[in-house]
Every structure is written in C-alpha cells, then in structure tokens.
Amino acid sequence: MYAFRTISVIPRLPDSIGRLRELAYNLWFSWNDKATGLFRSINAELWEEVYHNPVQFLLRVDESELKTAAGNEQFLKQYSEVIADFDHYMQSKTWYDRQNCQNNGNNHLIAYFSAEFGLHEAHPTYSGGLGLLAGDHCKTASDLGLPFVGVGLLYKHGYFTQRINREGRQKAHYQYQNFDEMPITLVTDEGGHDLVVAVELPGRRVHARVWRMQVGRVSIFFLDANITANSLEDRELTGQLYGGNRDTRISQEILLGMGGVRALRAMGIHPTVWHINEGHAAFLMVERLRELVEEEGLSPGSALEALRADTLFTTHTPVPAGHDVFSLEMVDRYFGHLYKQLGMSREQFNALAHDRERNGFNMTMLALGASGFCNGVSRLHGGVSRTMFGHLYPGIPGEEVPIGHVTNGAHTLTWLAPEMRSLFDKYLGSQWSSNISRAAVWDKVNNIPDRELWEVHVGRKEKMLRFVRGRLVKQRMRNQETVNRINEVGSYLRPDVLTIGFARRFATYKRAGLLFRDRDRLDALVNNPKRPVQFIFAGKAHPADKPGQELIKLINDIAGDDRFQGKVIFIEDYDINVSRYLLQGVDVWLNTPRRPMEASGTSGMKAAVNGVLNCSVLDGWWPEGYNGQNGFAVGADWDFPDEESNDRYDFHSLYTLLEEVIVPAYYDQAAGVPRKWVRRMREAVKTIVPRFSTERMVLEYADKYYLRAMERNKIFSADAYRVAGELYELKQFLRENWHHVKITGVTTNGAESMHLGEEMSVRAVVELGPIPRENVRVEIAYGEAYERGLRHIETVPLAIDAGAGDNGGHVYTGSVVLPQGIFGYTVRVRPYSPHFAHKFELPLVCWAPVF
Ligand SMILES: *Cc1c(COP(=O)(O)O)cnc(C)c1O
C-alpha cells in the first residue's frame, strides 16, 4: 500500500460550549444521560447516525448548529449543569480517598488486563459478558476513586457486526474502525512522538502504539499493532477480537500481556497490584518474571513468589475447553528465546502451565500458578472452579481449594433507563447513586406508587418496541424485501402483550432453542386469545460456531412462520445499544443456560435495575439473587447426568412456569395496573440492584484482594525482594521435608456422643522432623461427613504443649465445643507462614491416620 498522512478538519466549537470536547473524550458521558442529551439536542438525527459517539458527532456536526446551541439559553443552562456534574464527579472525595492506603507515601496502582472492554456501543472492543464486565469494572473503579488503569488491545475491525439476510442467516461484517473518530488519544513520548513498544515474536519484533481512553478518572490503555513499523501481516495482529488462528491468538496474547507491561513501563506507570481478567492476559506474568530475573536479579523461584504477592486472577469459564491451551511446539517457537533470560529450562517454563490432560500450555494454569489470589465470578462458579482445578491441590478438601469468588455485578447507572433514574431520584433521596450497594437506600423503593412505576415501565416498553420495529424495517429494506413485507412490521408487537426478551451470545450452552422444542405448545402460549405472549430475540454466534448459527436460522424460520409472525421476533446485531433497549423495556428477561455453564451472567442484573423480572435457570448469579418473590426460577438447583435429560426437564419447567405462573400473574390487572406484578418489580429492584451492582463487586474486590495485595506488594518488594526470596526458600524446604510430618496419635475425651455444650478436648502427637514448629499449624477439622470426606469444614487450632514431649513428637492440645448435629472430625497439620496469601498457599497437608 502507499503511504499517506491524515488530517482532521473540524468545525469550530464556540468558547461558551468549548468543554463539549472534553465531555466527548471522557466515557463518563456513557452513564450520564444528561451529558448525552446535550449532543442529542444539537442534532438528534446525527446523534443516531454516529451511533452515540460524541467525538464523531463533533467532527461531523454543522458549525452553524453549534453556534445555534451556543446562543440558546436553555442549552447553555443544561450545558453548565452537566459541566458542574462532571467537575463534581472528577474532583469530589471518593471511597478510596477515605481509606488509609495512600498514607505512608505509597503510590498504589491496580493494573487490570483484559482482552475485551465493553464500554460503549460505538466501540466494538468486546464480544460479550466478559468485555461488558471489564467495562463496568473500570467505570466503578472510577466511581470509587481506586487508583486503577486498564490495559487492552485496540482492534481495527473490532468484533463483527451481524447482519441477518433474507434466508434468516447470520452474515458477519468487520467494519473498519477509524480511531481518530473515537474518544481515544495517542500516547506520546517526551519528544512528542507516538510512544511505541515492541514484543518479540518468532523471527521478528512487532511494534505497537498506545492509545488512551479516559473513563471518568480511570485510563484504559489500548495497544495497536497497525503501524508502519510492522509488516503487513503483523499490522493485522490487532485486526479482530477472537479472529484468526492459533498463531494470531498467541501473538495477540503476547502483545496484550507482555506488550501491555512494557507499555506501562514506558509511560512510567508502575502498578503495585496486577489483575488478570481471564487467562488471555496471563502472559503479563512472563514479562514480569523476565523483569524480576533479568533486571532485579532474582532467581526464577523468588520472582514467582514476588508475582504471587500482588497478582489476582479472575477466571470466567466453567468449561475446560473454554480455556486457551497452546501446544508445546508453539510455546517453544514463541518463548524459546526467553528461557535463558528467565533463567529457566524449557521444562521449567512449561511446568508453569503444563496441562497434562490436554497436553499443552494452559493459560488458566499459568495465571493460577502466578497469582496469590484467584476467584470465580459467582458462588456456584467458584465451586465449579475449585472442582475443576482441585487436582492441583492433592489431599486438600475441595471446598478449601484456594479459589474464591466475587459475584459479578453491573454498573447501575450505565444500564438504568433515564425515566427510571428520574423515578429513583424522586423517591430514593438525592444520594442514592453514590450509595448503590447500601441495601437501606433501596428500602425506599416501597414508596414508589404502583401506577407510577408501571407507567414508567410501559413508557420504556413502547420505546423499545418502536426501536425493535425500526431495526426490522431497516433490515428488510436492506435485504430488498417487498413493500408489503416492510409495511407489515408496523403491525408487529403490541405494548399491552406480555413481552419476553432473550438476548445474549448464541453459544449453544445458552440454549436459545429451548423454547422451540414444541411448536404447538409455543403456539398455544403465543396465540392465547385472552392472554397472549410475544418474544424478542437477539444475539450473535461466533463466526466459527456453526451450531450457534443454526440456532439463529431456526429462530428466524420460526419468526417467519404464519403462526408466529410479528409475535416471535429476531433482531440483528446484538450490542450494548440493543441490549440497553431490550432490558429496559421487556417485561421478562429470559435466561436458559445449561447449568452450570453460565459462570455468572450479568444481563439479568441489568434488567432488574429497570424493574424487569428475571425468568432464569438457577445458574450463574441467579441462585444467589432469586428469593422466590423477585423473579422466576426455571428447572432445578441440581446438576443433571446428561444434556438431554437436563434439556427436557428445563423445557417442561419453563413452559409450566410460563403457562401457570407468569402469564396469569401478568394479566391479573386492575384498571390497567398488574398490582402483584408491580410488587414483584419493586422486590426485584430492592433485592437485586444493591447486591449485583459493580459497586458491591468492586468494593468486594478491594476488600478481599486489592487492599491485601497492596499490603503484600509492600512487604514482598522491600529490601530487594527479601521476603519473596525467603518465602521461596521456605517453600522449597517444606516441600522437601514434608514427608517427615506425621501425626502419631490422637486422643480425645469424646465418646461417640456428647451433650450440647460439652467440651471435647483433643491431644495430638505430631512429628515434624526438621521442620520448625512455627512453620506449621496443627488444627482440629470438623464438618459434615459425606461420601468424599468432610464438608462445611470448620477448624480449631491446637496449641503446642511445650512441656510434654512424647517420644520425639510434639504434643498439641486444644478443645472444641461442637454445635448440635452429627460431625466428622480429625486433626491435620498444614504448612504455615505469615506471608502465605491463604491457608493452602503451599498445597501440602498431613491428616491424622485412623485414630
Ligand atoms: C450484559 C451483556 C452481555 C452479557 O450478558 P449475559 O447475561 O452474560 O448474556 C453480553 N452482551 C451485551 C451486549 C451485554 O450488554
């Protein structure tokens, strides 16, 4: 290709509204509808045309329209209100300011690495829930004032745009993203040149420039390989999200992980906490390992301990096949040159992530091994992850495998309809939006009158139905369908009909087809003359996912069937904009994953923000959210032995629920208001919004992990990483000598039964060999007995009885008062150091033999 430079010729922004540009370049606008309202009021049509992208809007808008706005008193009033809100947001004291962490001269910073960020509809840097979660996480980090930066990749063609053709088939289009029209700016070096970082890929160096996006107070840095310093092929490396082959994937992940660390360093940014959001980003630890070994002179073992001090890994995938695994041949090809720099042999490097079952290098295992803290994204998913990785912790009870959970959330203001926001402003007090996770705030939802809540909902529903019809008309016009077919859309979908929405990625485990297993039953439901139901579907299937695409075709076929025409609808190109419309306007949000495949799910949380009722399989977050009154539960809360029996069970459960509960409840109306339904809506808002907000979520991350990781970073890195080195030595020593640890005798005063409140005393004789007593903990462990041991385990420490040596063994004693019930109990020894992040940081344990 030939070279060219670009230049933007832009309309002049009148001084009196000059800060519109600043608003346009801060994603703060994306959760402040007053701010977006400013742009919309200048030219509503253009606002839609640029898909709500204010930067593009300011590039395209007519200068005269800006002048008109600047001369309009009403506009100026709105403008100054928005600017005041913005300044207040950027400058006011935050939650983090009220913590004490930044005292003692520590400049803490959390770096959050993710392959996708879903922040706004105009920026296709996301494919689904993972990206949306990352976006909402960043927005909330800003709200709370956390010292926080994001790191990701900027995809020239983003994720694909979905078109549905006349046959009802999905066509994927990758649209060229003009970065100059996005709310991002290039990072430059001291000399004013574009900052460029490089990573080594087989036989070459690949370069990337760095873009900064401002999200409130938080910056996200995006790497972009589409620069002339790279070969044409390498310029495509950041072409698509989840595109290309295995080589593309590993190269992207090297760029994200290793390039991301280098970019931060080049900008003089030195995080003290590292958050790996899903395995894609795990190569960040390879770069950090290299830094610590090569630049700080640590041994690889000590360097790993230093990493573990302040790294958190969040896993999102409950299916083994969903974790990236690279062949050992590829690992050699991409990392062979690094082994020496890392001070490791090939075998040692592979051992960092060796997945025996899949015979390869597993990104999840890499991340697990290098992170002191790990978590899943719902209570259920935490359990699934502990089972999935339990083999890495032999001898340790499943529930004590050190993978915790932080249930996902949604950024409330991003997903809340403006009309609903006004209602909350009116009834919840002026401070509600800065106390979202406080349950007491939401008790006031009871004060919203039935009719008012219902009317706001119906208003949003009508808006959504117009949007859906508009999309369908556009699709049919583009597909050159007949005038009749196009006009027909006007009669589709009625606002007084119970409307059920289903929109999500069309991964097969989400079972978009569950409803369609019996079309006659669907017919009876949809075409009930007194109590009809209508369905709106949307969703993309990954271009390589054929079964997912077949499902889309199936639903479009059904939508075209005479019986369902205008009552079962599929709209194309599910994205943030479509998602917002649907989950602000449907009556019921349907979710039918095959349990336990949905790690968390978040769209249902966003629906609840708007008083929309969830009807969901008890998977992901829903077992924690559902309370019997705030929505509906499909199926059972257990796992099935095979897919077919699971599907059949859930299918019947879903229809029975719809026919016997949901439809009658919705149509039980007096004077146009379904009072009992509205009560459920209020219950949903009250019980779901505070707990499933990202405010609660990020506070939980801070409390469980970030603040502790900051503390650990300080301890581990002091004195040239002395503690990291010592901990490594200690672990080596314990591993080599653990075989000496034996419990040679356990005696108790307990008979087979005791009375409630009686104390059971325990005496254990423990041999430690050369292991110092301060490096172990001896404890009673008791819990409910089940086929694989004990569960709901509680522990009570035993103390050494220094006076009483027993044949070379140490004597430990203690006592416990058991609660009522039947328990199993035993004694165990585990390694201990005050520097362990958790109990089983070193997965060794010695259990008492039969006693
Ligand atoms: C919230 C959201 C998702 C994730 O929702 P799930 O419940 O996981 O399906 C995916 N895509 C978009 C556009 C969203 O807004």
Side-chain angles (χ1 to χ4, degrees), residues 31-70:
W31 68 92
N32 285 278
D33 34 81
K34 275 200 216 145
T36 50
L38 283 179
F39 296 100
R40 184 178 283 115
S41 71
I42 295 173
N43 183 339
E45 214 171 297
L46 179 62
W47 181 245
E48 290 306 318
E49 207 173 296
V50 299
Y51 218 40
H52 316 144
N53 172 353
V55 171
Q56 202 176 13
F57 182 91
L58 289 182
L59 286 169
R60 298 229 185 133
V61 69
D62 226 67
E63 211 170 87
S64 67
E65 287 177 313
L66 292 174
K67 278 204 190 112
T68 311

Side-chain angles (χ1 to χ4, degrees), residues 36-209:
T36 50
L38 283 179
F39 296 100
R40 184 178 283 115
S41 71
I42 295 173
N43 183 339
E45 214 171 297
L46 179 62
W47 181 245
E48 290 306 318
E49 207 173 296
V50 299
Y51 218 40
H52 316 144
N53 172 353
V55 171
Q56 202 176 13
F57 182 91
L58 289 182
L59 286 169
R60 298 229 185 133
V61 69
D62 226 67
E63 211 170 87
S64 67
E65 287 177 313
L66 292 174
K67 278 204 190 112
T68 311
N72 179 326
E73 220 148 290
Q74 184 58 30
F75 183 88
L76 288 175
K77 185 163 165 283
Q78 268 182 14
Y79 170 81
S80 34
E81 276 173 25
V82 170
I83 294 292
D85 283 354
F86 179 60
D87 288 341
H88 176 76
Y89 179 85
M90 295 297 283
Q91 289 154 16
S92 57
K93 242 179 153 42
T94 63
W95 173 84
Y96 187 76
D97 293 331
R98 292 190 291 272
Q99 309 302 301
N100 296 324
C101 345
Q102 67 275 66
N103 300 340
N104 11 322
N106 292 306
N107 274 323
H108 283 297
L109 180 70
I110 302 152
Y112 180 92
F113 280 57
S114 179
E116 12 173 343
F117 286 91
L119 292 145
H120 186 262
E121 53 265 30
H123 314 303
T125 45
Y126 65 94
S127 85
L130 179 68
L132 270 301
L133 182 80
D136 282 7
H137 195 120
C138 293
K139 290 174 182 178
T140 308
S142 165
D143 294 343
L144 296 172
L146 283 183
F148 193 94
V149 295
V151 178
L153 298 179
L154 197 60
Y155 306 96
K156 186 169 53 136
H157 302 286
Y159 196 60
F160 72 94
T161 303
Q162 178 195 52
R163 296 283 175 244
I164 302 296
N165 72 9
R166 270 167 93 147
E167 284 85 54
R169 291 199 177 278
Q170 164 178 304
K171 296 286 156 199
H173 293 271
Y174 287 90
Q175 286 176 354
Y176 178 80
Q177 305 298 313
N178 188 343
F179 297 155
D180 295 325
E181 295 183 343
M182 285 170 62
I184 48 177
T185 48
L186 268 175
V187 175
T188 51
D189 62 18
E190 282 151 16
H193 304 290
D194 294 352
L195 183 81
V196 172
V197 293
V199 293
E200 292 76 29
L201 292 181
R204 66 208 198 269
R205 279 166 76 78
V206 170
H207 304 264
R209 56 183 174 175

